Amino acid sequence: KTTTTVAESNTDLDRDHQLLADGTSYAASFSPGSGMLGGHTRKQLLSNEKRNFKLLGRAVSEIGGIPLLALSSELSGTVPDEKVVIAYVAYLSRRLLDLSTEVRAAYVIQRAWRLHSRRLALFSAANTMAQQQAAAKAAAAAQLAREVEAAVVLQAAYRGYQARLQCVALAQRKRES
């Protein structure tokens, strides 16, 4: 088995850190007389290292797609092999670049969708405004038609009144003559 994902190797983390606790793979500059390294005990340092590897394992498994190139026991308490670190960083950076491309693509899609939504809203508002204007014009035309019809009725009534007055005047002149 040449490569293992971090998710597959989580069971190996505890075994690797047990080796650290036993002191079999601890190679940092440690003062045996004082039992201290940089103001911390060996136990504290191993605990911190174990916590850091678990955190790294969780982060890498969330990102996904990065093979496990070395066990934590090969990297902890020693200076890790330069080629392993470079390969691991290369996989990590490539995966992060892929993710940033996906995020950028998501931003582009979201921006296009928002622009499309705004255009639809503007079109809808313009369409609504045009409908309202058309309705107002139709109402004004209907009002004008009613007014014209009322004027025609009034004019007919007045002409009828005028005609009746003329008839009465003619009838009077006829009786007088």
Side-chain angles (χ1 to χ4, degrees), residues 69-80:
L69 300 175
L71 298 174
S72 60
S73 61
E74 296 172 0
L75 299 174
S76 65
T78 68
V79 176

Side-chain angles (χ1 to χ4, degrees), residues 9-18 50 53-54 72:
S9 69
N10 279 343
T11 56
D12 295 336
L13 285 177
D14 292 331
R15 181 182 52 78
D16 294 341
H17 288 291
Q18 184 60 41
K50 182 177 181 180
F53 276 116
K54 284 186 179 181
S72 60

